[in-house]
Amino acid sequence: MVAAPSGIPFDDIRALIASLPGPDLDAVAAVRARDAVLTKPAGSLGRLEELVEWMAAWQRRPSPAVNRPLVAIFAANHGVAARGVSAYPAAVTQQMVDNFAAGGAAINQICVAYNLGLKVYDLALEVPSGDITVEPALDEAACAATMAFGMEATADGVDLLCLGEMGIANTTVAAAMFAALYGGDPGGWVGRGTGVDADGLSRKREAVTAALATHKAHLDDPLEILRRLGGREVAAMAGAIIAARVNNIPVVVDGFVATAAAAVLHAVDARAIDHCQFGHLSAEGAHGRVLEKIGRKPLLDLGMRLGEGTGAALAAGIIKAAVATHAGMATFAQAGVSEKGD
């Protein structure tokens, strides 16, 4: 049961996270029972078998399916971009959104190849979030409202949700969030993102360090970390993850920035992202450290760092294949194949 609204936005988010449903263990048992009689040695499909169990657990049905997969890209701009932390100007965010709409981006081609739906959400690109070095990215009400907007990605019968993002300077805000969540040298969470040069990397590290200093009195609360150091696309992805759980939709998280949304929820309640797979290991160096912190193993490691949901979309192709294999294979009895020991 979801708690009644309190009038305090983050309290309502916390209550929703606390009430998230768990896995359907009966559905998992049904998958295992079928898997045991399919025409293959037990365990021979390795992680593909685990993916089918995961799908059953979170779709809450014994015969999981992928009929309406969606890649949702959330696009936002960031005030910190004015600090010269990216190799590209902030105008590129809108230009890439236009490119998505025209079908010209990498994610468009991957979605065509794997028959995935694609939606792009423009999160007030004309109004960048606050410069995190001197002010919060968002106030509490705006952050919660953006999380609620992200929840809309789970509509229209989606049965597998892949999360991606677009936003110049968003590897800076993600690095700041990871530094706040996990501590250590702030600069150690910073990578080259879109390919900044040495001076740009220095500016990026300075921005993250300044942001942590500005907000240091408020960084013991994961949702405060989200609103102060994150941005609209990170908040929207966090909302989408929560709504997906409520609506029995497994989630595939993309790379460095998308993982920041999941990491915040994990910090609130580690169980909140049990319905998530992590599509790939980003070439942004600190991503592997984050995945270790939250105890997750990515599906792919292809040296990618583009964003746009590309790693999640590629992983969705594997998940689709896993589910189709489980559903379509013959049993030993159907195929007339002798079982082990026969």
Side-chain angles (χ1 to χ4, degrees), residues 29-111:
V31 164
R32 289 176 178 168
R34 173 169 169 76
D35 186 79
V37 296
L38 295 179
T39 48
K40 63 178 182 63
S44 60
L45 286 177
R47 199 165 177 191
L48 294 185
E49 298 175 14
E50 297 173 8
L51 287 172
V52 180
E53 292 179 12
W54 167 76
M55 287 286 290
W58 298 110
Q59 286 190 339
R60 307 187 69 81
R61 54 189 185 188
S63 299
V66 184
N67 297 316
R68 294 288 300 273
L70 177 69
V71 177
I73 302 177
F74 294 96
N77 275 318
H78 300 267
V80 74
R83 301 279 173 178
V85 297
S86 175
Y88 294 88
V92 168
T93 303
Q94 180 65 64
Q95 292 164 4
M96 282 303 301
V97 167
D98 295 341
N99 193 29
F100 298 145
I107 188 59
N108 297 99
Q109 318 320 316
I110 295 171
C111 286

Side-chain angles (χ1 to χ4, degrees), residues 20-21 23 47 50-51 54-55 57-59 160-163 237-246 248-254 258-259 261-266 269-280 291 294-299 312 315 319:
L20 293 175
R47 199 165 177 191
E50 297 173 8
L51 287 172
W54 167 76
M55 287 286 290
W58 298 110
Q59 286 190 339
L160 180 66
L161 179 64
C162 302
L163 294 179
M237 288 187 289
I241 291 170
I242 294 170
R245 178 72 157 263
V246 172
N248 306 324
I249 303 170
V251 174
V252 188
V253 179
D254 193 41
T259 299
V264 163
L265 299 179
H266 181 270
D269 184 336
R271 298 169 297 177
I273 61 169
D274 285 350
H275 62 304
C276 297
Q277 293 285 338
F278 290 77
H280 76 126
L291 293 177
I294 63 177
R296 295 299 191 275
K297 182 179 179 181
L299 287 174
I319 293 168

Side-chain angles (χ1 to χ4, degrees), residues 8 25 61 75 78 116 122-123 129 138-139 177 255 300 306 327 335:
I8 302 173
L25 299 181
R61 54 189 185 188
H78 300 267
L116 307 173
D122 174 339
L123 300 173
S129 56
L138 299 166
D139 63 34
M177 290 175 65
L300 299 168
L306 177 60

Side-chain angles (χ1 to χ4, degrees), residues 311-337:
L314 288 169
I318 293 174
I319 293 168
K320 288 182 68 175
V323 169
T325 299
H326 178 83
M329 281 184 72
T331 65
F332 284 103
Q334 288 169 336
V337 174

